Amino acid sequence: MINKLPNAFPVPENIRTEFSKNKSMLVKRSIMSPLRQLKVYTGTSPILMVIPSTDINLLALGITLQEVSNCHLMIIKRLTPKTENKINRYIAQYNIRGLIGVEEKENNGYEYMYNDHFHPLINYITEKYIDTTVPNTISTEEDYCLKENKPSVKFFINKNDATSFLPVLLSLLKVLPTQIEHNQEPWTTASVSDAHKVTMITPFNRLELTREMKEKWGLNEHDYVFVLNPITGSFRKCVIYETKKNLGADEVILSTGVKKSLFGSSAAEPILIQKAARFPVHHIQTQSARDVQLNRIIVSENMINILKATESPYIELMNPHTGASFDFHISQLAQQTGLSDDKTIKLNYIQRQFLDYEQPPDFIPPTVLKDLCLNVSLTESEHLLLKSTYEEGKVLERISYQESLQLKKSLKKAGYYHTFMYPVNHYYKEAKRLSVKKRIKNKLLTAFIGNKQLSLKVIRPYTSDETSNIIRLTKSTMTLLGIEEADTVILSYRNKTAKAQVLEMNDLEMIKETNIMSSSSMMNISVAVPSTIRTHLGLNNIGKVILVERDMPFLLKKNWNIQFVPIIAVMFTVLSVSIFTTWTRILLLLLFVPLSMYVTLSRVRYSISNKKQS
């Protein structure tokens, strides 16, 4: 199946005017000094365009496209090993995930890597805008812009044809960000319904369609898809849900937030849909005690290589039946001797609990249950057990251990225990390098206060907390974090953080008012977060796992009272002794004041001591 856009992007009417303005500007003045070898324009898109040329037509082409698409642009006088090293360093520094090279040649053409699934899009868009056939070649070796693990292309353009390639390159710059997760599924055209609204508000990136359309497009409930506006190039990553509403052929319903991000205040236009890249795993096993302590994800060596080839620093592991998921860093992947099956994954207890695999799920959506019950390997009694437990949106009641084992056996035969791994783009979770001042501050706070963070599953808060800046944790979770009620904590999800005040979560019945939870055991691995904070963190839905971390600056300020008297005593002692010179007193104060603080803060520090016991 090839990646083919049903239609190419329209080009802004003023783009050729902007090209002419930039060309006139380049005629009047040079953008590079005689001694400089390259000029860099930093953008926000994860795409880099490299132009190794000094021709004003190609330079005007690059500058115009950078202004319109906000991509990164690098203009180079002459390609040398030194400048190629600078390009590679720039790619690493700014997490560039896609590249376009533009070279000056007499004959037009383009080149791509032998394994690049992106080239059918290039073929289609180029044919759409260029009347004559543009020859293309396949490369087996990497260079300054062709990379094996990144969607990339190198264009050869005659300087007199620069304006003809404006719409081609602009279209590629718009669609390339949707391909950086190595999506290899075809694009599908769909219309957006104006007559219907989504069944539920959450998740905020919700896309609903009928069962018939779901089967036609090969989609399942909770699948991730890319939704693209072909007019503007705006796109969103959405989650699929089935609806019983009467929709037309190839018609879908989008949540309000998705509509706004795709169309703004304009009327909804036809959209393009593409299934996100994913890696299925059908067998979930338990880990050894040694691996549990290391918090690893055990897969086969071949699967590790496949995931590393995506160059995504983080992977999202999802239960496709309930939508529960958590992110893990690529460095947490490990292989085990004897494990060669690419469809097998080994998870520890808490990881299985996060994904609703350790215990039977409290709730299975009716549309998902219908698909599970279609499995022919189920016996009649197992089929009845699943239906009587979850049919018509029933919530699992408290059951015995033996009943739980029987239910898990039926779920396993129905195909419930499989999972998907989705690459997570760098612009979803990007580590920013801290300044030297902040790094020193963090090291000092860690030494004096101590840092502690826990991964917890997000649930809805008490009804009374919904409009406040308060989260709720159980008493045992607060003890593990070394905090008390009314303390401040830092919440982190991907590239966003938020601060919130903590109160105790101790009433299962109040939690049941806003959540589906059959037992209090799940409360100990959960954090109740209001919708305002969830929105700030970019959480589209509950059931995701976030990091909860003690707020070290807050704890330092909170404990000023126990530090005040010892610090005053140290200062009074040092300053009252007359035998010391001024410089000696300063040195003694610099030594003993921090030492006094370190000793008085030992209670705060050792409240989270987790030294291994022999």
Side-chain angles (χ1 to χ4, degrees), residues 486-550:
D487 281 357
T488 302
V489 292
I490 300 170
L491 310 176
S492 303
Y493 181 69
R494 295 181 174 172
N495 61 341
K496 295 184 179 179
T497 59
K499 287 188 179 183
Q501 204 171 21
V502 178
L503 292 180
E504 186 180 356
M505 176 170 57
N506 55 10
D507 193 331
L508 179 60
E509 293 305 314
M510 288 191 72
I511 286 294
K512 282 184 174 181
E513 288 179 5
T514 53
N515 297 274
I516 298 173
M517 190 176 291
S518 59
S519 66
S520 57
S521 61
M522 278 298 295
M523 289 171 61
N524 286 322
I525 61 166
S526 301
V527 52
V529 184
S531 60
T532 50
I533 300 178
R534 296 201 304 269
T535 303
H536 177 77
L537 290 174
L539 282 161
N540 291 306
N541 201 9
I542 59 171
K544 307 300 179 183
V545 175
I546 65 172
L547 281 176
V548 181
E549 181 180 1
R550 67 192 327 216

Side-chain angles (χ1 to χ4, degrees), residues 292-350:
V292 168
Q293 288 186 333
L294 297 173
N295 194 30
R296 290 173 168 176
I297 310 285
I298 310 295
V299 293
S300 67
E301 182 180 4
N302 186 50
M303 181 56 76
I304 291 177
N305 294 333
I306 291 171
L307 292 172
K308 284 184 176 179
T310 66
E311 293 194 340
S312 293
Y314 289 87
I315 306 294
E316 182 178 0
L317 196 60
M318 175 188 273
N319 180 338
H321 304 294
T322 65
S325 72
F326 67 87
D327 295 351
F328 65 89
H329 194 269
I330 198 79
S331 62
Q332 289 178 253
L333 286 172
Q335 64 186 78
Q336 192 176 71
T337 307
L339 181 61
S340 58
D341 182 12
D342 293 344
K343 303 300 181 183
T344 298
I345 189 169
K346 293 190 175 185
L347 303 175
N348 62 33
Y349 176 88
I350 194 69

Side-chain angles (χ1 to χ4, degrees), residues 101-256:
V102 179
E103 293 186 10
E104 180 190 353
K105 277 200 176 179
E106 188 173 338
N107 297 317
N108 296 326
Y110 59 91
E111 185 178 17
Y112 52 85
M113 292 297 292
Y114 69 97
N115 64 342
D116 196 340
H117 65 268
F118 181 56
H119 70 269
L121 281 171
I122 306 169
N123 298 342
Y124 185 80
I125 292 173
T126 306
E127 290 170 10
K128 197 83 175 178
Y129 286 113
I130 307 294
D131 294 335
T132 57
T133 302
V134 179
N136 58 79
T137 56
I138 301 172
S139 174
T140 57
E141 294 186 5
E142 294 187 345
D143 61 12
Y144 70 95
C145 80
L146 294 179
K147 304 296 179 183
E148 189 172 343
N149 293 322
K150 300 179 192 293
S152 51
V153 60
K154 185 199 298 181
F155 276 88
F156 308 109
I157 301 176
N158 184 299
K159 60 183 181 181
N160 297 320
D161 295 333
T163 53
S164 300
F165 280 86
L166 270 170
V168 176
L169 295 173
L170 180 59
S171 295
L172 290 175
L173 285 167
K174 286 182 176 181
V175 76
L176 192 55
T178 69
Q179 301 300 295
I180 62 180
E181 288 181 341
H182 294 252
N183 305 330
Q184 300 188 32
E185 297 294 328
W187 291 95
T188 304
T189 306
S191 59
V192 180
S193 173
D194 288 325
H196 300 283
K197 293 185 178 180
V198 289
T199 309
M200 295 180 65
I201 298 174
T202 57
F204 302 131
N205 58 339
R206 189 182 186 97
L207 184 151
E208 293 184 358
L209 70 172
T210 61
R211 175 171 283 268
E212 291 75 20
M213 295 312 303
K214 216 170 62 168
E215 292 172 354
K216 178 183 174 181
W217 293 340
L219 298 170
N220 296 310
E221 191 117 337
H222 301 120
D223 274 354
Y224 280 133
V225 294
F226 279 97
V227 180
L228 181 73
N229 179 353
I231 304 298
T232 63
S234 302
F235 68 92
R236 278 289 298 270
K237 198 174 186 179
C238 297
V239 183
I240 294 295
Y241 284 87
E242 185 180 319
T243 182
K244 293 182 179 179
K245 293 174 181 176
N246 187 23
L247 299 178
D250 298 337
E251 190 177 27
V252 300
I253 308 172
L254 297 178
S255 62
T256 305

Side-chain angles (χ1 to χ4, degrees), residues 346-403:
K346 293 190 175 185
L347 303 175
N348 62 33
Y349 176 88
I350 194 69
Q351 290 163 352
R352 298 193 304 275
Q353 192 83 319
F354 283 150
L355 295 176
D356 300 329
Y357 289 137
E358 182 57 31
Q359 303 296 335
D362 292 331
F363 174 77
I364 295 179
T367 51
V368 174
L369 180 65
K370 186 176 180 179
D371 292 332
L372 290 174
C373 290
L374 291 175
N375 196 306
V376 294
S377 61
L378 287 172
T379 64
E380 188 177 348
S381 60
E382 290 167 339
H383 189 275
L384 288 172
L385 176 61
L386 290 178
K387 280 205 163 188
S388 62
T389 307
Y390 295 112
E391 196 173 30
E392 297 178 354
K394 286 183 183 177
V395 177
L396 182 69
E397 300 294 336
R398 184 180 287 271
I399 56 176
S400 66
Y401 179 68
Q402 290 298 328
E403 289 172 324

Side-chain angles (χ1 to χ4, degrees), residues 418-448:
H418 75 265
T419 184
F420 289 134
M421 288 184 281
Y422 289 92
V424 177
N425 280 317
H426 82 279
Y427 53 85
Y428 289 130
K429 193 163 189 173
E430 183 178 358
K432 293 183 179 179
R433 185 172 177 82
L434 297 174
S435 63
V436 175
K437 182 180 178 181
K438 285 187 177 180
R439 291 203 298 272
I440 293 173
K441 178 184 174 183
N442 286 345
K443 284 187 178 295
L444 289 173
L445 285 170
T446 303
F448 280 79

